[in-house]
Amino acid sequence: MVVLVSVGAWSSVAPTRADSNGFQFSAAGDFGAWVGFRQTLGILNTSGSAFALAIGDLSYGGFTGYADNTTEAGWCAKFHRYFANVIILAGNHDTGAFPPGEGSINNFTKYCPFPTSLRAPVFGVYGKQYYFDYPRTNPLARFIFLSPDLVYVVDDGEHYLYTVNSTRYMWTQAAIDQAHAAGIPWVIVASHKNCIGAGEHACETGTDILNLLLGEKVDLILNAHTHNYERSHQLALTGSCPGIQLHSFDAGCIVHDGADGKYQRGTGSVLVIQGTGGRELDSFDPSDPYAGYFAAHMAKDTSGAGNGVVTYNVYPDRIVAQTSFNGTYSDTFTIGDFSTGLLDQLVVALPIAAPVVVGLIGLGVGGFLTWRLRVIGMRAIGMPTTSLKARLFRL
């Protein structure tokens, strides 16, 4: 028993950082300037998150009713009034595109700059394509932000493409590989537009960038654009799934179905759509081929549906996610180490094994005492006896 416990303890995997270290952040997209935006800000105000990710489609060109200033300044002022540390990424409504009055990410980054209180250097172009590590010392996660298929009218119409071997594709791959090489426990990638999703939008980004993320087995992929909540199965490229294909479903891409809300870290990616920041919710289409990739969802016809954010608690050994909506709908999941080691097997088997071991020990002791008493009696009447050693060899 002692040997088994010792081996089990030795074979367990030590965490990369102290378990007491961790942080919390929240994320959503598609805020706009509606009532849902104000309700989401109220949720964030009491969340306790270190920062919030605003994953595109920030003001929708609407007036927030808080500051009689430009759209971008008013939106940022209202956000900061309720929650200071907001980190932004452009959506298709933030590129200066038609119709007139759409927001400009260049103004949003002016009024919603990267929070200096986080003390984290930003690499790349904030608001468009960049990454940062958090915390700054001994980081637990690298956050990578992308803009697939966004056309930046405010930048002379530059179209951000992430096709295989393109400059932006290679930049993304390098940012992921560097994080892995540096031993950063978690890689989290955010982009406004999603490829797979069973809502109003088809795969506008193309499959190349999604397949890169799945091939790299990034831990979390955060999207918005589709105005609902969708949590995927755990996805990866496998021998039977060389890549996600347009407008089709391939069960071979699923390495865990996610029904129990527990995902084994390092085996694939979990994709979460959280276009729930304020915009009125849309439907989830179960007949969409991409619907097969998802384990849970909340849409306009879901009981208890509401606006809000998804909150993530990041620890050295796990990420725990919990929805924070203003309705009764709730979902949670964990990415961690759920493999069963030798020590775990022993603990599970102990209630069964213990009585057996005790019984065997009891039989051994009882047998010895019975033999010893018999020897004493035989000697007392002058009969020959057999030594314990000889008796054992005879057995």
Side-chain angles (χ1 to χ4, degrees):
M1 292 288 286
V2 173
V3 172
L4 286 174
V5 171
S6 300
V7 172
W10 174 82
S11 65
S12 64
V13 179
T16 49
R17 303 289 191 277
D19 281 341
S20 60
N21 293 338
F23 67 91
Q24 177 180 297
F25 74 95
S26 298
D30 301 87
F31 293 92
W34 297 281
V35 173
F37 174 46
R38 294 194 293 273
Q39 294 171 335
T40 295
L41 289 179
I43 292 171
L44 279 173
N45 188 39
T46 59
S47 68
S49 291
F51 53 87
L53 307 183
I55 314 175
D57 284 6
L58 306 177
S59 77
Y60 277 64
F63 180 61
T64 63
Y66 176 65
D68 59 349
N69 207 323
T70 64
T71 300
E72 298 89 343
W75 189 88
C76 290
K78 186 161 189 176
F79 210 116
H80 286 149
R81 182 185 181 189
Y82 289 88
F83 191 88
N85 292 336
V86 57
I87 297 170
I88 63 173
L89 177 68
N92 52 288
H93 285 284
D94 310 313
T95 62
F98 186 84
E102 293 285 83
S104 166
I105 190 61
N106 294 339
N107 287 331
F108 277 116
T109 55
K110 183 191 305 182
Y111 297 111
C112 288
F114 189 87
T116 57
S117 62
L118 299 185
R119 303 175 63 83
V122 174
F123 300 90
V125 181
Y126 175 58
K128 301 172 185 175
Q129 180 181 287
Y130 64 101
Y131 71 84
F132 70 92
D133 301 332
Y134 189 82
R136 179 173 183 171
T137 304
N138 295 325
L140 293 179
R142 170 162 291 185
F143 291 85
I144 303 173
F145 299 82
L146 309 175
S147 293
D149 194 47
L150 293 192
V151 179
Y152 285 101
V153 176
V154 294
D155 295 335
D156 298 321
E158 183 177 2
H159 191 184
Y160 277 45
L161 297 174
Y162 292 80
T163 52
V164 172
N165 294 328
S166 66
T167 300
R168 300 193 184 280
Y169 180 100
M170 299 300 289
W171 181 94
T172 305
Q173 187 173 42
I176 297 169
D177 289 344
Q178 289 167 8
H180 288 159
I184 298 175
W186 304 102
V187 177
I188 300 170
V189 180
S191 64
H192 176 68
K193 289 189 173 184
N194 55 281
C195 178
I196 58 172
E200 60 187 307
H201 297 292
C203 181
E204 299 169 10
T205 65
T207 58
D208 287 352
I209 187 60
L210 176 59
N211 286 327
L212 170 63
L213 303 183
L214 299 184
E216 292 278 355
K217 294 183 179 178
V218 304
D219 302 288
L220 264 178
I221 302 171
L222 307 180
N223 295 145
H225 197 44
T226 296
H227 304 139
N228 60 26
Y229 167 76
E230 302 181 29
R231 167 172 63 89
S232 78
H233 303 299
Q234 194 166 34
L235 308 175
L237 304 189
T238 66
S240 60
C241 172
I244 298 287
Q245 302 297 319
L246 284 175
H247 314 304
S248 63
F249 169 70
D250 185 347
C253 302
I254 298 174
V255 294
H256 181 73
D257 68 5
D260 59 359
K262 295 179 180 180
Y263 300 97
Q264 178 66 35
R265 70 178 300 179
T267 61
S269 305
V270 181
L271 185 149
V272 183
I273 296 173
Q274 49 249 294
T276 56
R279 172 72 155 76
E280 181 181 351
L281 298 179
D282 290 318
S283 61
F284 178 91
D285 182 5
S287 66
D288 190 304
Y290 296 139
Y293 290 123
F294 292 90
H297 74 273
M298 179 201 69
K300 67 178 182 180
D301 56 350
T302 301
S303 177
N307 291 109
V309 298
V310 183
T311 297
Y312 301 87
N313 285 276
V314 181
Y315 303 99
D317 61 340
R318 66 198 184 280
I319 295 177
V320 182
Q322 175 67 58
T323 58
S324 299
F325 301 140
N326 64 350
T328 58
Y329 175 86
S330 180
D331 185 40
T332 185
F333 67 89
T334 301
I335 305 172
D337 188 359
F338 295 100
S339 60
T340 304
L342 183 57
L343 179 60
D344 297 319
Q345 294 176 27
L346 178 62
V347 171
V348 171
L350 192 57
I352 300 174
V356 176
V357 173
V358 171
L360 290 173
I361 293 174
L363 287 174
V365 172
F368 171 77
L369 292 176
T370 301
W371 168 81
R372 185 60 183 162
L373 289 172
R374 183 181 180 187
V375 167
I376 293 172
M378 291 172 69
R379 286 176 177 174
I381 61 176
M383 293 180 65
T385 61
T386 304
S387 68
L388 178 62
K389 181 177 180 181
R391 184 176 178 83
L392 290 175
F393 275 109
R394 182 184 298 172
L395 293 173

